[in-house]
Amino acid sequence: LPVFNHLSEKKDYEIILIGGVYRKMTGAFVGGIANNAIKSMKTAKAFIGVNGIYDNILTNYNEEEGLTQRLILDNAIKKYIISDSSKFNVLDFYEFYDLGNVTGLITDSHVSNQDLEKYSKYTEILHT
């Protein structure tokens, strides 16, 4: 919903909302309705945020959101994870994807050299 609110004023975009259960904490739509819509969609690129990255494990707080995130990643040609460096070496409740199966990990400039080396084994690290 936050992305919709931002882009809805712009004329250059056609926006599709998938519906489902709205999670106010993350601004995401999740659950069966969302998942059924996502199953039939293919995308060139997906960008998914996480709550934690531990070795090759990507985690978040909510199972339903994790299932939706997995479907989105599975249906994308290029898969990107977005995470600030404070979420490295952190586990959260629900494991939803393997870091080794994504195109790249986008993070901030505060990532340590040790974490760059560690997580580069699984995927390309892009930092600003």
Side-chain angles (χ1 to χ4, degrees):
L1 192 58
V3 174
F4 168 79
N5 289 333
H6 178 75
L7 295 177
S8 66
E9 301 298 320
K10 305 199 184 287
K11 296 178 183 180
D12 299 341
Y13 300 98
E14 181 177 39
I15 302 169
I16 300 170
L17 293 177
I18 59 170
V21 176
Y22 178 66
R23 291 200 67 231
K24 193 175 264 189
M25 179 180 280
T26 60
F29 291 94
V30 299
I33 293 171
N35 292 348
N36 284 334
I38 291 167
K39 284 178 186 175
S40 63
M41 296 179 184
K42 302 294 182 200
T43 60
K45 295 178 185 176
F47 297 87
I48 299 292
V50 298
N51 289 21
I53 305 170
Y54 191 84
D55 293 331
N56 65 320
I57 300 168
L58 300 174
T59 62
N60 72 16
Y61 175 75
N62 182 273
E63 176 188 2
E64 281 191 329
E65 191 162 342
L67 292 171
T68 301
Q69 290 171 313
R70 181 183 304 147
L71 279 171
I72 291 167
L73 289 169
D74 283 345
N75 287 350
I77 296 168
K78 293 191 176 190
K79 309 159 190 351
Y80 294 95
I81 299 303
I82 301 172
S83 173
D84 63 72
S85 55
S86 71
K87 295 176 182 166
F88 285 43
N89 306 305
V90 172
L91 277 174
D92 207 342
F93 171 70
Y94 187 76
E95 175 183 342
F96 70 91
Y97 219 71
D98 185 308
L99 184 59
N101 292 332
V102 302
T103 307
L105 170 60
I106 301 169
T107 190
D108 58 50
S109 60
H110 302 294
V111 63
S112 71
N113 287 335
Q114 182 180 5
D115 284 339
L116 281 174
E117 185 178 330
K118 176 180 179 178
Y119 291 102
S120 294
K121 295 179 209 171
Y122 302 108
T123 192
E124 179 181 8
I125 309 294
L126 309 159
H127 56 94
T128 57

